[in-house]
Amino acid sequence: ALISKGPPYRKLADSLSACRVLVVGAGGIGCELLKNLVLTGFKNIEVIDLDTIDVSNLNRQFLFQKKHVGKSKAQVAKESVLQFCPTANITAYHDSIMNPEYNVEFFRNFMLVMNALDNRAARNHVNRMCLAADIPLIESGTAGYLGQVTVIKKGLTECYECQPKPTQKTFPGCTIRNTPSEPIHCIVWAKYLFNQLFGEEDADQEVSPDTADPELTWNPADTEARATASDQDGDIKRVSTKDWARSTGYDTVKLFNKLFKDDIQYLLTMDKLWKKRKAPLPLDWLEIQKLACPQEVTGTGLKDQQVLGVAGYSQLFSRSVETLRSMLADKGDGAELVWDKDDPPAMDFVTAAANLRMHIFSMNMKSRFDIKSMAGNIIPAIATTNAVIAGLIVLEALKILSGDVEQCRTIFLNKQPNPRKKLLVPCALDPPSANCYVCASKPEVTVKLNVHKTLVLALQDKILKEKFGMVAPDVQIEDGKGTILISSEEGETEANNSKFLSDFGIRHGSRLQVDDFLQDYTLLVNVIHCEDLEKDVEFEVVGDAPDKAPTPPSAQEDKNVANGNKDSAEPSTSSKGDYQTQSFEVSCFVTAVGAIISRSQPPFGPNR
């Protein structure tokens, strides 16, 4: 026990019992982290998560059982963790950390915040709130066998947004199933659909509308009823998509109308999803065939570079389904196909299905070449990776609470040992970036756009909220009059939304002061007018490289590296190999967590 080690450890043990910590997220990493915290001696823990438990969570989020499906993750995690340590004081919130009530004053109640999130927007927000409250933040992420933990401290280290992040490679299920906003979301959905129809079915790869979407109004009784009903999507007993398709004989018209018409019409009944988004437009097979023209069906140019029309992709969908059905039948009963980007029928299917979904959700469709290059591998969630990372989070927390922030490190978990035969690679924390538009002393960015074509609404939603991660921005034009362009007060400047920036005198060289009072964050935006942006590009951030990943860290332990990203969403970990056995993963978990638990009060034992 810590107390038996002497006065320094007694002081740390007392600190653990007294300090108040916040855990954001109760999923893969969150479950492991909450267990580690109570077994290490933390007594005052608050946990927040908006999500509810799905059957697909049960293979790795060990605090949840079959009977919990449909319930709040945060609440069930609390109840399960209390069985490890009944004396712990745990508060659970079934809510979004981005809600205004969790303001800077809320964050100042804690000595430490630990992220266990799965999306970039929430990570950006928590990063800013911790900077505003001057509270240490431990950030973490996993992607398959890769993982990363880092510490963020205002004025001492890089913040989460100091370095550009690579394009997100995994996404929350509700985004894929209900509210895709980028082409990659539709491509992932199409790959899931291939497996549901022709390959190995996986509960993590459901494609039907998600009735338990956390954005919908949450009612415990309703959600639980949905989870236990045997005839609704999202429950434990579901009708197999493949069995349904087989019962229709893989009828392409029925498949098309089910996926692109009926399911979309069902999504439209979830009206809360479309209050701030453009609603999807269902497609009907017969209507498309009536309106088809030869050019839409055939396209022009090289085959892989063509972007067909909706009619063309509907025909491609039909042909690919027929081909894949025949391939499956030739393999015999119980056979499965494996998706391969180099298999023409499989690639045709994903290209057609992804583009039809892009059209439904008002995105520009992509060529077969583009989709093939974007498809990539779906990164699996691995329980033992989460366990290793959760152990490392607690080790970094102990350093912070001991007053040894300078000893904190960014730690990478790699697929295989580095040249020094180490799987866990600690690296020194980098200082804040002078060019960061979040943690610099006077955050400032330059945005290139066409002031005559950019709407005020696009500035608010696509630039300030999506690109710069703001929640409720207020925008004032520095024109000597203090003109208010955007107000976070509902309805105050709504009439401005449909007007162009030039209508308010904004031109080349104009400056906008943007404030987000919830995040206690101010950003100065310099406007550069440009009329020759690339096709489909609405704006550019000067000096930004959003599609480039940070340089992978060196294998040397003393080299500084960039901060990382997110659980189930591309942490910027280095990958120096492609094979690692599970037994070695488990030994790393023992290495990372064993030291913690061996000093815990109480240890693993009766409460386990």
Side-chain angles (χ1 to χ4, degrees):
L2 288 173
I3 294 176
S4 65
K5 301 281 186 178
Y9 293 94
R10 185 178 296 109
K11 183 178 179 181
L12 177 57
D14 292 341
S15 177
L16 297 186
S17 298
C19 76
R20 192 174 172 189
V21 298
L22 174 65
V23 175
V24 187
I29 294 176
C31 283
E32 297 285 349
L33 178 57
L34 288 166
K35 174 260 297 178
N36 286 350
L37 289 173
V38 296
L39 291 173
T40 307
F42 286 83
K43 298 293 186 183
N44 297 290
I45 304 168
E46 298 191 20
V47 57
I48 181 167
D49 196 308
L50 176 62
D51 209 357
T52 53
I53 300 163
D54 185 74
V55 67
S56 63
N57 302 143
L58 303 183
N59 69 334
R60 63 190 179 276
Q61 297 175 20
F62 76 101
L63 295 180
F64 310 140
Q65 299 174 30
K66 186 175 178 179
K67 65 183 179 181
H68 296 137
V69 171
K71 296 182 179 179
S72 162
K73 281 188 176 181
Q75 185 61 40
V76 174
K78 167 190 171 179
E79 294 166 2
S80 298
V81 165
L82 285 174
Q83 296 181 43
F84 288 84
C85 182
T87 59
N89 177 28
I90 303 175
T91 303
Y93 303 92
H94 180 86
D95 208 348
S96 168
I97 192 62
M98 298 176 73
N99 278 352
E101 61 193 271
Y102 306 110
N103 53 23
V104 174
E105 291 306 314
F106 173 81
F107 277 80
R108 285 181 178 145
N109 291 324
F110 304 100
M111 290 184 66
L112 182 63
V113 176
M114 288 164 270
N115 266 353
L117 287 162
D118 66 355
N119 71 89
R120 185 173 296 168
R123 272 188 161 82
N124 289 344
H125 180 71
V126 174
N127 173 61
R128 297 177 188 191
M129 299 304 286
C130 288
L131 290 172
D134 198 8
I135 301 297
L137 169 65
I138 302 179
E139 183 57 87
S140 62
T142 63
Y145 291 102
L146 305 178
Q148 179 175 341
V149 174
T150 193
V151 173
I152 296 169
K153 182 70 173 74
K154 183 178 182 179
L156 183 65
T157 73
E158 281 187 333
C159 79
Y160 178 71
E161 297 170 81
C162 274
Q163 297 291 342
K165 301 295 186 290
T167 303
Q168 190 169 334
K169 295 202 173 54
T170 59
F171 308 90
C174 54
T175 300
I176 299 299
R177 294 165 66 180
N178 291 2
T179 55
S181 58
E182 301 174 24
I184 187 63
H185 299 158
C186 301
I187 295 168
V188 171
W189 178 88
K191 288 183 66 177
Y192 286 177
L193 178 62
F194 178 93
N195 286 335
Q196 292 289 325
L197 291 175
F198 308 107
E200 181 181 358
E201 292 183 279
D202 186 335
D204 278 329
Q205 298 184 0
E206 183 57 66
V207 294
S208 298
D210 184 3
T211 57
D213 192 315
E215 280 195 55
L216 302 173
T217 300
W218 183 72
N219 181 299
D222 290 348
T223 311
E224 203 169 340
R226 279 201 301 268
T228 54
S230 62
D231 60 346
Q232 293 194 27
D233 176 62
D235 60 18
I236 295 169
K237 298 178 182 178
R238 3 175 119 90
V239 176
S240 164
T241 302
K242 188 184 294 183
D243 288 344
W244 174 81
R246 280 177 173 161
S247 73
T248 70
Y250 283 94
D251 185 296
T252 54
V253 176
K254 289 182 178 178
L255 277 174
F256 185 97
N257 283 334
K258 192 268 182 193
L259 295 166
F260 305 115
K261 179 184 176 183
D262 299 343
D263 282 357
I264 303 305
Q265 289 176 336
Y266 185 76
L267 278 176
L268 291 171
T269 66
M270 303 179 188
D271 55 338
K272 291 184 182 295
L273 295 177
W274 317 115
K275 285 188 175 180
K276 296 183 180 180
R277 295 183 179 93
K278 186 173 181 179
L281 300 171
L283 296 175
D284 180 89
W285 175 269
L286 292 177
E287 292 298 321
I288 290 171
Q289 306 317 307
K290 289 178 185 176
L291 300 174
C293 65
Q295 184 69 20
E296 272 196 314
V297 176
T298 59
T300 57
L302 296 173
K303 179 183 176 183
D304 277 7
Q305 299 289 351
Q306 293 174 1
V307 178
L308 308 180
V310 174
Y313 285 122
S314 66
Q315 293 291 341
L316 183 62
F317 177 82
S318 176
R319 292 196 301 271
S320 62
V321 168
E322 286 294 331
T323 304
L324 293 167
R325 179 193 62 77
S326 298
M327 291 170 62
L328 194 62
D330 291 344
K331 285 186 169 238
D333 292 340
E336 294 172 346
L337 301 181
V338 177
W339 189 83
D340 185 341
K341 68 180 185 298
D342 296 318
D343 178 35
M347 195 63 233
D348 285 345
F349 176 86
V350 168
T351 299
N355 272 313
L356 290 167
R357 192 161 172 89
M358 286 181 218
H359 178 80
I360 287 168
F361 286 91
S362 303
M363 296 175 226
N364 292 321
M365 295 188 287
K366 299 288 183 181
S367 69
R368 190 176 192 272
F369 177 84
D370 289 336
I371 289 178
K372 186 175 182 178
S373 67
M374 294 170 71
N377 291 323
I378 304 299
I379 301 172
I382 298 175
T384 43
T385 307
N386 290 336
V388 174
I389 294 304
L392 294 171
I393 292 172
V394 179
L395 289 175
E396 295 305 301
L398 293 177
K399 294 177 188 177
I400 293 170
L401 295 174
S402 298
D404 295 327
V405 179
E406 294 78 9
Q407 299 302 315
C408 290
R409 296 288 182 266
T410 292
I411 305 173
F412 294 94
L413 170 63
N414 292 326
K415 270 190 175 181
Q416 65 179 24
N418 66 6
R420 302 173 87 175
K421 302 186 185 302
K422 293 192 177 182
L423 189 72
L424 294 171
V425 182
C427 305
L429 297 170
D430 282 338
S433 169
N435 298 320
C436 179
Y437 60 76
V438 174
C439 69
S441 57
K442 293 183 178 180
E444 186 171 337
V445 293
T446 299
V447 178
K448 188 186 295 184
L449 49 75
N450 189 326
V451 297
H452 303 300
K453 294 182 178 180
T454 302
L455 295 172
V456 172
L457 185 62
L459 171 68
Q460 174 184 277
D461 291 347
K462 295 186 177 181
I463 300 179
L464 300 179
K465 290 186 176 180
E466 290 184 24
K467 176 62 184 175
F468 296 126
M470 295 187 175
V471 177
D474 291 273
V475 181
Q476 178 177 305
I477 306 171
E478 292 194 348
D479 56 1
K481 298 180 287 184
T483 303
I484 302 299
L485 184 67
I486 298 171
S487 172
S488 58
E489 293 294 329
E490 189 173 350
E492 194 168 300
T493 55
E494 196 170 320
N496 296 347
N497 288 347
S498 58
K499 297 180 181 179
F500 295 107
L501 298 185
S502 56
D503 294 337
F504 297 88
I506 297 174
R507 59 185 185 278
H508 184 83
S510 291
R511 289 159 65 91
L512 310 176
Q513 181 175 312
V514 188
D515 294 286
D516 190 318
F517 295 106
L518 173 61
Q519 297 178 341
D520 194 15
Y521 173 49
T522 298
L523 177 67
L524 187 63
V525 178
N526 298 299
V527 175
I528 293 181
H529 173 64
C530 180
E531 297 185 355
D532 56 355
L533 291 169
E534 292 183 18
K535 184 181 178 182
D536 298 329
V537 174
E538 295 184 63
F539 68 92
E540 289 180 3
V541 177
V542 176
D544 196 8
D547 294 328
K548 294 180 181 178
T551 304
S554 163
Q556 298 177 1
E557 293 181 340
D558 57 353
K559 182 176 177 62
N560 289 351
V561 296
N563 281 340
N565 298 336
K566 61 193 75 177
D567 169 49
S568 300
E570 89 290 321
S572 55
T573 49
S574 60
S575 175
K576 305 190 184 302
D578 58 4
Y579 175 76
Q580 182 58 44
T581 64
Q582 190 179 50
S583 61
F584 198 57
E585 254 193 309
V586 174
S587 71
C588 285
F589 171 62
V590 173
T591 301
V593 183
I596 303 174
I597 304 305
S598 65
R599 299 182 302 182
S600 299
Q601 196 59 268
F604 278 122
N607 290 331
R608 186 178 182 186

